[in-house]
Amino acid sequence: MADLDPPSLLREAVRASRRAVAPYSKFRVGAALLTRDGTVIHGANVESVSYGLTCCAERIALFKALTDGHSDFTAVAIVAPHAKTAPCGACRQLLAEYAPDARVFVADSRRPTKFREFTVDQLLPEAFRSLRKKSTRT
Ligand code: THU
């Protein structure tokens, strides 16, 4: 899927949400990250009995992608069982750092064709950036 096709990417996010490990909230979130070469990486939220250790779907997708060697992201689709879903503040910071140019599509997982679109800059204006010049990779 090198071409950007929001509905297809959102359907990937719905697929990802089925792998959520959310026994406490029962709130299944899915994320699908699209790389410039057309690779799709799935993520879903994983919860802990020590609630604060829970990790969001968006961060799981980003961490998976980064540690698999991807670094150029053109889009991310996020779905949750809520009409007005949007990434949390922590995920916005990570997106600003590692996927600043990605288009962000968000939708209710029960109605993924009805989506909203944002830029990362809209979601987190004036994001904190590293003092280092370009990549944070070593
Ligand atoms: N959650 C996400 O996966 N992404 C977000 O952007 C917000 C919240 C998850 C965390 C937790 O497992 C559940 O949703 C309820 O907050």
Side-chain angles (χ1 to χ4, degrees):
M1 185 169 30
D3 282 352
L4 192 58
D5 174 358
S8 298
L9 197 59
L10 283 154
R11 274 196 298 276
E12 292 289 333
V14 171
R15 240 170 253 146
S17 72
R18 297 190 187 121
R19 291 258 165 87
V21 182
Y24 306 105
S25 73
K26 318 275 188 214
F27 193 80
R28 295 171 170 275
V29 185
L33 259 179
L34 180 67
T35 68
R36 196 167 299 282
D37 69 7
T39 306
V40 176
I41 299 104
H42 286 182
N45 52 327
V46 177
E47 298 182 346
S48 164
V49 65
S50 177
Y51 292 4
L53 298 180
T54 289
C55 194
C56 294
E58 299 90 320
R59 267 176 285 164
I60 298 265
L62 253 183
F63 293 160
K64 278 176 66 182
L66 291 166
T67 54
D68 273 351
H70 300 287
S71 57
D72 194 0
F73 306 106
T74 55
V76 57
I78 301 151
V79 299
H82 192 283
K84 275 277 160 93
T85 192
C88 81
C91 291
R92 292 178 193 210
Q93 174 63 34
L94 269 293
L95 287 169
E97 286 178 55
Y98 294 107
D101 302 321
R103 295 164 69 187
V104 183
F105 307 114
V106 294
D108 188 318
S109 39
R110 297 157 299 191
R111 218 176 155 195
T113 48
K114 190 172 182 289
F115 62 90
R116 294 182 298 149
E117 178 175 352
F118 302 96
T119 63
V120 172
D121 197 56
Q122 281 172 325
L123 292 174
L124 189 64
E126 303 293 335
F128 175 75
R129 310 253 174 220
S130 164
L131 300 178
R132 293 170 60 185
K133 260 235 148 116
K134 187 91 171 71
S135 168
T136 47
R137 279 176 185 267
T138 50

